[in-house]
Amino acid sequence: MSGPDLTGKVALVAGATRGAGRAIAVELARAGATVYATGRSSREAGRSEIDRPETIEETGDLIAATGGDGVALRVDHLDPDQVRALIARIDTEHGRLDVLVNDIFGGDRYAQFGTKLWEHDLEGGLRMLRMGIDTHAITSHVALPLLIRRPGGMVVEMTDGTAEYNVAYRHQVGFYYDLIKAAVQRMTTAQAHELAPLGGAAVAVTPGWLRSETMLEIFGVAEDNWRDALDREPHFAISESPTFVGRAVAALAADPDVMGFSGTVVSSGQLAERYGFTDVDGSRPDCWRYLVEVADRDLPANTEGYR
């Protein structure tokens, strides 16, 4: 089966320094799109408050290694002026935007899992809301006028958890984290409604238990030996590489019938069944189905860790 063809399309992946965002940028470029990848951690400017070693320039190197076309830029999506400058550059260089991926977060460092609202650090909680909600709103506000110039544009809101799973309050992750993911789903609903008359779509996409850089470190493994962590946590067998959700978004972006998904939340596992792609090891994990049917009571509270 041939991969998706995004030749001639222009994509912005906001929040592409690591994890799912990085993989999405790489897979969109591999499929032929021109990709603008943004993040705050930089070789030149130093680390963001997340204080991870990955840089946005490394994402640019990975895009280049695919043979695809793209540019990696340091942008703070909480700063409207920086986002305006970014969109103005895309407009000047291409005059179009076909795919917007809002993957900005990084609030994990402020999360206090298992903590009640009144016990959670207030400053950190409010910072999480800014990083997980305001960034998406600012970016869509500035980018959508360019995206709607042509029918067929798509916004992807990256989230954590399916709509069915997130109906219940996720008490293990706490008030702020749960609120952010609920808000992202609502943003998808709103953008789908507003884009529909203009021929645009908005879809929320969730990975499963992602083998992000952080998650691999937690288990003391690397991507090439991640199964060594199964002795410690057998449920980690259902985890997926970031490439899996990257392939999911690329397939979605290439689907001429994407409007059928608009306003919904879909998982990497569900999209793999729909489009026939697999993870890098040939598997097709479906974490959220597994959580409900097998392991929900046993898994640790924080299975996200993908940004």
Side-chain angles (χ1 to χ4, degrees):
M1 178 179 177
S2 60
D5 184 3
L6 296 173
T7 303
K9 303 292 187 180
V10 177
L12 166 59
V13 183
T17 306
R18 59 186 64 81
R22 171 177 283 186
I24 291 166
V26 169
E27 293 307 312
L28 290 174
R30 195 188 310 279
T34 297
V35 179
Y36 288 79
T38 64
R40 290 184 300 157
S41 296
S42 166
R43 289 174 188 155
E44 288 78 23
R47 299 183 181 187
S48 72
E49 68 198 84
I50 301 168
D51 198 27
R52 292 277 317 167
E54 302 84 21
T55 67
I56 193 61
E57 290 87 357
E58 289 172 356
T59 300
D61 293 342
L62 291 171
I63 289 172
T66 70
D69 183 21
V71 59
L73 301 168
R74 185 178 185 276
V75 177
D76 183 349
H77 285 262
L78 275 174
D79 184 338
D81 287 339
Q82 291 189 36
V83 179
R84 290 187 187 103
L86 167 67
I87 300 305
R89 173 172 174 171
I90 297 173
D91 190 8
T92 298
E93 294 179 351
H94 296 282
R96 64 187 296 165
L97 180 63
D98 302 284
V99 181
L100 168 62
V101 180
N102 279 327
D103 186 53
I104 323 105
F105 185 42
D108 305 70
R109 67 160 296 174
Y110 299 109
Q112 296 174 306
F113 295 106
T115 302
K116 300 291 191 297
L117 168 60
W118 58 90
E119 298 170 343
H120 197 290
D121 175 68
L122 179 60
E123 183 178 352
L126 294 177
R127 181 64 177 171
M128 285 178 68
L129 297 182
R130 287 273 286 151
M131 296 171 76
I133 297 176
D134 291 14
T135 52
H136 290 228
I138 290 167
T139 304
S140 285
H141 172 83
V142 178
L144 288 183
L146 180 56
L147 184 136
I148 63 175
R149 282 189 193 169
R150 300 168 184 264
M154 180 182 71
V155 177
V156 174
E157 291 285 348
M158 294 302 296
T159 188
D160 175 31
T162 62
E164 296 78 13
Y165 194 85
N166 288 346
V167 166
Y169 174 54
R170 294 174 61 180
H171 61 92
Q172 300 96 333
V173 300
F175 174 86
Y176 295 100
Y177 188 95
D178 180 82
L179 178 58
I180 289 165
K181 300 312 171 184
V184 169
Q185 181 176 336
R186 196 64 175 174
M187 285 187 225
T188 303
T189 302
Q191 290 176 95
H193 177 83
E194 295 183 354
L195 290 171
L198 302 168
V203 186
V205 176
T206 178
W209 192 352
L210 202 86
R211 295 195 298 273
S212 65
E213 298 87 351
T214 301
M215 193 59 64
L216 291 172
E217 286 185 7
I218 288 172
F219 284 104
V221 293
E223 180 58 31
D224 59 0
N225 71 330
W226 67 269
R227 290 179 179 82
D228 291 350
L230 300 186
D231 290 339
R232 172 180 169 187
E233 177 49 76
H235 294 306
F236 199 50
I238 201 63
S239 66
E240 62 195 59
S241 77
T243 297
F244 194 51
V245 76
R247 290 173 176 175
V249 172
L252 197 63
D255 187 349
D257 298 319
V258 69
M259 286 296 293
F261 287 109
S262 193
T264 68
V265 183
V266 289
S267 70
S268 49
Q270 290 170 327
L271 293 175
E273 288 293 327
R274 164 78 177 230
Y275 297 114
F277 62 86
T278 65
D279 206 343
V280 292
D281 60 0
S283 67
R284 194 173 286 163
D286 191 345
C287 173
W288 296 103
R289 179 181 174 187
Y290 180 83
L291 277 174
V292 171
E293 296 182 1
V294 180
D296 196 35
R297 296 182 179 180
D298 300 330
L299 277 172
N302 178 21
T303 60
E304 192 230 21
Y306 57 82
R307 291 180 173 82

